[in-house]
Amino acid sequence: MRRRIVSLALLLPTALAFLTFQVPSAASEPVAKKLFGKQKAPASLRARSIGSYARGCLAGGRMLPISGSGWEAMKLWRNRNWGHPVLITFLERFAIESKEQDGWPGLLIGDLSQPRGGPMLTGHRSHQIGLDADIWYRPKPDQPLSKKERADSWSIPLAGQFSQSVNAKNWKPGYVTLLKRAASYKETARIFVHPAVKRALCEGAGSDRAWLRKVRPWWSHNYHFHVRLRCPPGVAGCVDQKPPPAGDGCGAQVKDWMKKLVAAEKWSKKKPKKPAKPKPRKELRVADLPPSCRAVLDAAPDASARESAAPGVPAVPNQKPSPPPVRPASAARTNSGLPWANGSTISSPARNAIPLPSRKPQ
């Protein structure tokens, strides 16, 4: 018996070494954002949103046409105007109906998802399964936009980063109507806005307040509002977010957000004794995503994606894109040169003055 115990003790390290060799660590897996970020075309697969909004991918993505009767797609060099067909249909309908029925000049639409979804190289944590869209607060101008204008122009802020009230110069009652329409569609799960915008919506909604439940305050949404759709019916493996809390989200919830803004502003002005080294964000690996996302990465590109491209702007870029702008920490967040009125000339601020979603205050 003693010899048997000794023999087992000698074999145990070998067995553990074998198991360690057989099971690769998550750290050895490729960083997902690098693999998804370099995909120029969607996967030639049946349309499907896979996983959750911040941990998933997109099969069979469709490109939002860069121009329509009620919208313009912006920042084309990012190649993020892709989504599940349900999202593309939603945006086209929303743009047209808000223009024809509400008199809104038209939508300027920012980031949706990458051609195959997944984590992005910069900016968003969500937008991974083709069901999220950023819509600028700036209305669409009358004149068509050039490729340069789409790349260089930016939206307008409805509030400062830590403001408790909306910018009186930029705020218009039409925003209440626009966001109410966006929330009224049954496909809409949530709409993220700056807390000050939520407060203004609560004050201007009137007696019809059910739609306000879907409008949720969140950090950094002072230049755009973020529409999130529910998982399409019958799509296996798509994970919905929990429904918003009951009620209109005004009252105590808005007051709580005002306190958060005050605390965040105080935090931002503190001078650390020693330069604080930012805590690195945990990078998602391919192994962290649903298993089907490997098949999405490996799938052949969908050649039909070129069909909806406008002349001079390929849907799937063939040439090397212009280097993306680098936004310094002190990027401009003012409204200088960015008029609200429809029909005015779009300004072209420096390419390094393009705000991207920032981390929420600690």
Side-chain angles (χ1 to χ4, degrees), residues 1-11:
M1 178 63 71
R2 185 175 179 181
R3 288 181 180 178
R4 186 176 298 176
I5 293 174
V6 171
S7 299
L8 289 174
L10 292 173
L11 288 173

Side-chain angles (χ1 to χ4, degrees), residues 64-73 91-100 103-109 140-144 150 342:
L64 175 72
I66 69 168
S67 295
S69 61
W71 76 89
E72 301 276 1
L91 291 172
E92 293 172 348
R93 177 187 174 193
F94 174 39
I96 292 171
E97 290 184 352
S98 63
K99 183 176 182 179
E100 294 179 349
W104 189 255
L107 305 178
L108 296 180
I109 301 176
K140 184 178 89 65
D142 286 335
Q143 71 274 17
R150 294 172 192 271
N342 178 44

Side-chain angles (χ1 to χ4, degrees), residues 64-310:
L64 175 72
I66 69 168
S67 295
S69 61
W71 76 89
E72 301 276 1
M74 308 300 287
K75 307 298 179 192
L76 300 179
W77 59 267
R78 292 180 179 174
N79 200 25
R80 295 178 179 179
N81 55 326
W82 301 85
H84 190 284
V86 166
L87 177 66
I88 306 304
T89 301
F90 168 89
L91 291 172
E92 293 172 348
R93 177 187 174 193
F94 174 39
I96 292 171
E97 290 184 352
S98 63
K99 183 176 182 179
E100 294 179 349
Q101 299 180 32
D102 303 327
W104 189 255
L107 305 178
L108 296 180
I109 301 176
D111 289 354
L112 308 186
S113 292
Q114 299 174 137
R116 305 191 188 200
M120 295 184 180
L121 288 171
T122 58
H124 315 278
R125 283 198 177 191
S126 60
H127 291 253
Q128 293 192 26
I129 59 175
L131 296 176
D132 294 284
D134 288 345
I135 300 174
W136 291 13
Y137 287 126
R138 180 184 190 139
K140 184 178 89 65
D142 286 335
Q143 71 274 17
L145 301 181
S146 68
K147 186 177 181 180
K148 186 177 187 304
E149 286 174 324
R150 294 172 192 271
D152 291 350
S153 58
W154 191 241
S155 185
I156 58 173
L158 292 192
Q161 186 178 10
F162 303 118
S163 298
Q164 298 182 51
S165 300
V166 291
N167 185 326
K169 181 181 177 181
N170 293 337
W171 178 259
K172 307 291 180 182
Y175 287 116
V176 179
T177 305
L178 180 70
L179 285 157
K180 180 178 180 179
R181 177 169 294 280
S184 69
Y185 297 108
K186 64 180 181 180
E187 302 99 317
T188 304
R190 272 175 169 77
I191 298 175
F192 299 102
V193 299
H194 188 278
V197 174
K198 171 69 176 188
R199 182 180 188 177
L201 295 173
C202 290
E203 293 171 353
S207 58
D208 183 8
R209 309 183 67 81
W211 60 276
L212 286 167
R213 180 187 180 190
K214 295 183 181 179
V215 182
R216 313 305 300 175
W218 198 245
W219 307 102
S220 302
H221 288 79
N222 49 341
Y223 279 83
H224 68 271
F225 62 96
H226 174 168
V227 177
R228 172 168 291 171
L229 301 190
R230 305 178 192 278
C231 288
V235 176
C238 182
V239 182
D240 269 313
Q241 192 173 357
K242 291 181 179 180
D248 59 12
C250 300
Q253 293 181 40
V254 168
K255 288 181 180 179
D256 183 56
W257 268 100
M258 297 304 108
K259 294 177 182 178
K260 290 179 181 178
L261 291 172
V262 171
E265 186 172 21
K266 288 181 179 179
W267 170 82
S268 69
K269 293 179 178 178
K270 284 184 178 180
K271 293 182 179 180
K273 295 179 181 178
K274 294 182 180 180
K277 188 176 181 180
K279 188 177 181 180
R281 176 186 289 186
K282 181 188 176 184
E283 299 289 2
L284 289 175
R285 309 282 173 166
V286 176
D288 296 323
L289 304 178
S292 298
C293 290
R294 291 186 185 273
V296 171
L297 281 173
D298 295 339
D302 184 359
S304 66
R306 299 177 183 272
E307 295 178 0
S308 55

Side-chain angles (χ1 to χ4, degrees), residues 148 151-154 332 336-338 346-354:
K148 186 177 187 304
D152 291 350
S153 58
W154 191 241
S336 58
L338 295 174
I346 280 197
S347 63
S348 296
R351 288 177 68 87
N352 65 354
I354 301 176

